[in-house]
Amino acid sequence: MTSKQQGFLFMALGFGIWIAGFSLLYAVQATGCEFAWQQVRLLGSISSLHAALYGLFAAHMAGLLWLLAHCRRKLATTENGTSDAFLWRASACLTLAAIAALVWIGMALPLPSVCR
Amino acid sequence: MSEAVPIQDPIRLHKALDAVWRTPPGVGRLSAVNHTIVGRRFIVTAFVFFGIGGLLAMLIRAQLATPRGVFLGPEIYNQVFTMHGTVMMFLFAIPLIEGVTFYLLPKMLGARDMAFPRLSAYGYWCYLFGGAILIVGMVLGVAPNAGWFMYTPLTSRPFTPGINSDLWLIGVTFVEISALSAAVEIIVSVLKLRAPGMSLDKMPLFAWYMLVTAFMMLFGFPPLIVGSVLLEVERAFGLPFFDPNRGGDPILWQHLFWLFGHPEVYIIFLPAAGVVSTILPVFARREIIGYLAIVVSIVALAFLSFGLWVHHMFTVGIPHLALAFFSAASTAVAIPTAVQIFAWIGTLFAGRPQLRLPMLYILGFFFIFVTGGLTGVMVAIVPFNWQVHDTHFVVAHLHYVLVGGFVFPMLAATHYWLPHFTGRVPRVSLGVAAFWLIFVGFNLTFLIMHATGLLGMTRRIYTYDPANGWEWLNLVSSIGSFVMAIGLALFTVDVALQIRFGRRPGRNPWRAGTLEWATGTPPPSYNFASIPVVDTRSPLKQSTGLAVALAQGRGYLGFVRDGRLETLGVEVTSGQVEQVVRLPGPTYLPLVSAVATAVFFLAVLFQVYVVAVIGFVATIGTLLLWTRGHGDHADRGAMPIGHGKYVPSHGESGSSPSQWAMWIALFGDATAFGSLAFGSLYLAIVAPNWPPPQLAQWNLLLSGSAAAGLVLAAIAAGRSVSPTVLPHAAKRKRWLFVTAGAHSMALAALVGMAFGVPAPTEHAYGAAALVVLCYVALHVALGAVFALYGLWRSRRGFVSLVRSSDLMIGRAWHAFTAAIGVVTLLLLHAMSWTASP
Amino acid sequence: MKGSVGSKRLGATWGTTWKRAKRFARAFAACALLTPLIACAGPLSTLEPAGPAARSIAALWWVMLAGATLLLGLVICLLALAFLRPAVARGVPPALWIVGGGLALPALVLTPLMVYALASGENLFQARAEGRTEVDVLARQWEWVFTYRSADGTVRRSNNVLHLTAGQPVLLRITSADVIHSFWVPRLAGKIDATPGHVTMLRLNADVPGRYRGVCAEFCGIAHRDMQMTVEAHGSEDETGRVIDGLPPAMPEDLVDAGGRP
Ligand code: HEM
Ligand SMILES: [Cu+2]
Ligand SMILES: [Cu+2]
């Protein structure tokens, strides 16, 4: 992969993180229910399953925020109007969209019916 | 070696090019690999299947027109709706997309063909033979009868003992080969085979749409293929993947199917949206607004669509939190869709729109597709879904999306590009009348069908009682569907008249800006007599004289060299010229390979497994034969392409299309492996009737030597392409031998492990372990074959420091095999661990 | 169709706005769907709900229908204008189309819808756990077997008729003996699959005594469409008890058992 092709690769990275987060949230939810993690309470009322889900959410959000910063940095240092600038701009937009999509599915996280 | 001198006289240039690109007449047509011809075949065949699927739809509507209909009995009805869905999704929609893409893409990108013409031809034959298997089954009255999503256990042996389900599993998997090969081919063609100067941001939007769609096909189809193979193995050999009594789980099928099935819907929609994004600006008479926003939204849509599959499973009994993730993701797709819709609307406002026939269909598309999208948001809402799931509301919704989002754009495309296919435009047109019949008929059929569903009519019932309040609705739906059918018949007549009697308008009748209109119409076998330099998104708008200049050989490659078929390859993002890609001419090999593949599939269908093995080996063998006569025996360095430019041939470029194809194919392979691994873990964690009665006692010596063999093979293959080894035949030979030997060792160890798997027919644990082992073993065996093949190529002098493509491709395979092998060994231990009580 | 909303947690002001919106929605729907052809009534109609779950979903439908009709109308008007009066919006900058129409508009519509849907879904899920009596449901090709456990330990069964008491929620534990079926009584609640190897839950509650028809909604083979049943909602617990006591005892193969895992 030459440096030229990086911008192109990064177009897939934002939503790549999103889909990884999404799949992991679902996988951990299902596995946790199977092993009854929702009954193990941490800190007052939060179950360990909910805590794991919030943790996953936060980790992927952090990754996406870093990515956004990176794309914007790259965009700022690329000459305007070139195809590279186009690809970095697209990557930045896609990362932003992935952040919005993660927040959007994150709306479900507070729901109490984790395992039924 | 003849020195390449550009030919300036258009007629002589045409004759010279056509002599090497032309497909021979008569029986020789069977050897066609040219994208124009293969694309046309895909398109015509797909429309024939559309006719068949449409006839089946008419049977359905005739049966449901009145309560207590006695036209079809339940068995026939079940076959009819299953085949209707199957034909429409697998034999009409996807192949039509492939055909349109094969036909248009190289022309839009300024290339002379797709990257792997023989692969497209092979894909076509697989599609034709697989489709024929299904249709023959239907004519014999043993068509699949369990619905197009084939839910287990209804499709398992005990509940469908006949051949019906096998026909589906085998026919569809056969057809899917063409989808996967098309995916790889489209990706590589878009990335590598463009006109010089066409950087990614100058590509026509259609190419972006197809690039994204092809990636979706690459990741979407493997889960279905894996699911189908598992189900066929369960049916044929009794390995219980989906049988809950033996540690399988019917829900696993649903996950695998919909992991494919939802993306499938977008795989169908995106190319159609690409067509809209291509045609609409032509009739708005200005460039599309929001190019970047559209690119961003199709990439977003592609990813989001892989996070939706459970919305087909809202009534399965999955916990609310999980459903809510999928519900949210499903509503989220409305946003990238809306971005495109408003980009189109904005383009219309900004331009001076013209209501020509293709535009009329696009307006029809807007109305129907937007309605389907809105009901889509409704069914994505969990509680509402509980009511309408599996009712005619969903039937109505899915037809609004598929007919609105696919058929209407395709009808628009037919009218728009027919002059390109035939060189003719209509004298008189029945098109407007046909449009209104189709449009009104469609809405009459399906708009009120929402109400039928809300009033409680479930789908897939062959008859109903009069007292439910559904009689009027159904009758009107049936009348509407016949109106629509008449409209489609009129459409066909119109097209036939235009092909036969249309007048010849000359080039570019719509004044479009994309490059496909720079070829002659009908297009010559080589597309462009010489290849343009592109520095804008609508090259034909920029310079009106372009087509003539190209015909006069004033672009690149305006000559024939060595009697070979040549086009240009570019660097992926910038579009700078990088290589001369030499393409194969007409050959019967794809047909031969496809026949071998057909032998394999038919043998599996009729359970004569010895023949199946022969068919498999013959397929691999004939596929390897494709490379005979390709490649160079000596380094030849940079070649002139005209205008004083020199670039190497693809084999010496270090970035050949075949290398890209291998990497990309391995992504698909990894998805298949991932689906298999997911399935195994899923069973181990959630399936009923676990733990298994008996766990495998893995012999550490065996798993150790398997791992060692796999890793050694990968390392040796890596050595064989290192710069110190590559130039020396003897050293290459040594490392390739080590690769093959290491593979043999790993294979022996894996077979040994397979014997340690406890009774695979008794519990899903053993079944899953066995299948995963077989998957790796198959890769290892092929790895050994590829290593020996590399050895042979190296012996014959096809390999050198710069001509390393063959070995690089092998190396990718060996590394991948090692990776999945090691993961498998870990997985097997993990499964024993989660399964132990 | 009676007017009250399933979820009372949303507060009174919301309640009146809600009612107004619903009346508006229904008027709209009346035109849109050619009411002469379609009365909402019918023995299997989801639009003639007779229990709280079905009622809250029907309300959801009317709201979504109104919203969808407005949005569709907007798109059609824009398209018509683009051809007939393009001047009205020629000056709109591209970014405004994309951001305003593509992002802001759907986000504004979807956010409240999603919040409401999650809340109402959660209510229905919570309610699933609260049934007073439990009835086991076994689906098999092609019938429904309901089994009732009385206090004295006897287990009785009825085929294709479910007995319950109006106004008293019943918790169904549902599974299948062969292929996948789906339990659906449209006027009372949404459907839930009956899957071999798994037990699913559904709460059923009928407002008033009466008979409510149900069907198998998941295609399950040649006699799929004949796999129908009836829910009989009786007037009092005593009456239900008497009916159940008169039923035949259950056979071992009628009992719900779904393999090792819960
Ligand atoms: C030509 C007009 C068409 C009519 C009148 C029509 C009619 C129908 C009807 C009535 C059903 C429901 C059958 C039942 O549940 O009993 C159905 C199912 C279906 N249709 Fe169509 N259809 C048409 C075109 C299409 C097209 C173009 C596609 C896809 C591109 C399509 C895909 C499907 C699928 C996937 C199913 C589900 C099959 C199943 O339940 O297994 N249909 N169609
Ligand atoms: Cu879907
Ligand atoms: Cu059933």
Side-chain angles (χ1 to χ4, degrees), chain B residues 258 261-263 265-266 308-309 311-312:
Chain B
W258 292 117
H262 192 87
V265 180
Y266 286 87
L308 309 183
W309 79 93
H311 72 200
H312 298 268

Side-chain angles (χ1 to χ4, degrees), chain C residues 139-140 142 144 179-182 216-220 224 227:
Chain C
R140 64 183 169 219
W142 286 275
W144 299 96
V179 304
I180 299 176
H181 305 268
S182 191
C216 170
E218 182 64 59
F219 180 68
C220 59
H224 164 56
M227 194 165 155

Side-chain angles (χ1 to χ4, degrees), chain B residues 139-398:
Chain B
V139 171
L140 297 179
V142 289
N145 55 3
W148 86 281
F149 39 77
M150 294 284 290
Y151 273 9
T152 56
L154 184 60
T155 46
S156 302
R157 196 52 92 190
F159 303 103
T160 317
I163 200 174
N164 312 52
S165 297
D166 304 308
L167 268 170
W168 192 97
L169 295 169
I170 284 160
V172 168
T173 304
F174 199 178
V175 172
E176 283 346 22
I177 292 180
S178 73
L180 276 181
S181 59
V184 174
E185 183 165 13
I186 292 169
I187 294 171
V188 177
S189 302
V190 174
L191 292 183
K192 297 301 293 181
L193 262 57
R194 306 197 301 265
M198 190 188 273
S199 53
L200 284 178
D201 59 323
K202 304 262 165 42
M203 276 204 311
L205 270 175
F206 184 76
W208 271 108
Y209 276 99
M210 283 322 302
L211 179 64
V212 173
T213 308
F215 269 110
M216 293 179 68
M217 288 161 79
L218 187 71
F219 295 118
F221 279 102
L224 174 69
I225 294 180
V226 165
S228 301
V229 170
L230 293 183
L231 183 51
E232 183 55 32
V233 168
E234 170 172 316
R235 290 178 56 84
F237 307 110
L239 268 55
F241 300 103
F242 308 109
D243 175 1
N245 299 320
R246 290 180 286 160
D249 195 339
I251 306 297
L252 173 60
W253 169 266
Q254 301 189 12
H255 281 297
L256 290 175
F257 186 90
W258 292 117
L259 257 169
F260 145 80
H262 192 87
E264 157 94 341
V265 180
Y266 286 87
I267 291 170
I268 292 176
F269 168 63
L270 279 182
V275 164
V276 174
S277 288
T278 310
I279 299 182
L280 184 136
V282 174
F283 294 104
R285 291 184 281 183
R286 68 153 290 152
E287 274 204 38
I288 196 155
I289 66 165
Y291 182 95
L292 173 72
I294 291 181
V295 170
V296 166
S297 64
I298 51 191
V299 176
L301 206 54
F303 276 98
L304 286 171
S305 74
F306 280 89
L308 309 183
W309 79 93
V310 168
H311 72 200
H312 298 268
M313 300 165 65
F314 280 168
T315 64
V316 158
I318 294 169
H320 191 213
L321 182 65
L323 296 191
F325 288 147
F326 286 94
S327 175
S330 308
T331 51
V333 293
I335 293 186
T337 315
V339 167
Q340 291 172 69
I341 292 192
F342 280 91
W344 294 325
I345 292 180
T347 306
L348 287 175
F349 271 111
R352 288 167 296 123
Q354 250 180 330
L355 197 55
R356 308 284 290 273
L357 191 48
M359 193 60 217
L360 195 58
Y361 276 101
I362 287 178
L363 289 181
F365 149 82
F366 269 106
F367 177 80
I368 298 177
F369 180 72
V370 170
T371 310
L374 291 166
T375 56
V377 171
M378 295 180 187
V379 293
I381 301 298
V382 176
F384 183 65
N385 183 289
W386 290 340
Q387 280 289 30
V388 295
H389 174 68
D390 268 340
T391 69
H392 274 256
F393 187 95
V394 166
V395 176
H397 156 70
L398 75 92

Side-chain angles (χ1 to χ4, degrees), chain C residues 1-76:
Chain C
M1 280 164 288
K2 272 193 260 143
S4 103
V5 197
S7 144
K8 296 197 178 63
R9 304 175 188 197
L10 296 168
T13 40
W14 173 235
T16 47
T17 329
W18 175 247
K19 270 194 199 126
R20 220 170 288 151
K22 236 168 73 180
R23 215 171 303 140
F24 175 68
R26 225 175 286 164
F28 222 129
C31 321
L33 277 178
L34 307 162
T35 333
L37 282 176
I38 309 146
C40 292
L44 290 168
S45 174
T46 61
L47 302 182
E48 194 192 2
R55 191 159 45 246
S56 82
I57 298 175
L60 187 59
W61 153 251
W62 292 117
V63 176
M64 291 195 300
L65 176 63
T69 315
L70 283 175
L71 288 174
L72 181 64
L74 174 72
V75 171
I76 293 175

Side-chain angles (χ1 to χ4, degrees), chain C residues 160-228:
Chain C
N160 298 328
V161 182
L162 169 63
H163 298 282
L164 48 76
T165 312
Q168 295 207 349
V170 176
L171 185 66
L172 304 178
R173 299 172 65 238
I174 304 170
T175 191
S176 161
D178 39 46
V179 304
I180 299 176
H181 305 268
S182 191
F183 181 93
W184 190 33
V185 184
R187 294 189 58 203
L188 299 185
K191 57 183 76 66
I192 189 95
D193 290 355
T195 311
H198 296 268
V199 176
T200 49
M201 307 283 191
L202 181 69
R203 192 176 75 147
L204 223 50
N205 189 359
D207 295 333
V208 291
R211 314 187 69 184
Y212 304 97
R213 278 182 49 202
V215 295
C216 170
E218 182 64 59
F219 180 68
C220 59
I222 190 123
H224 164 56
R225 86 116 229 169
D226 301 321
M227 194 165 155
Q228 308 195 6

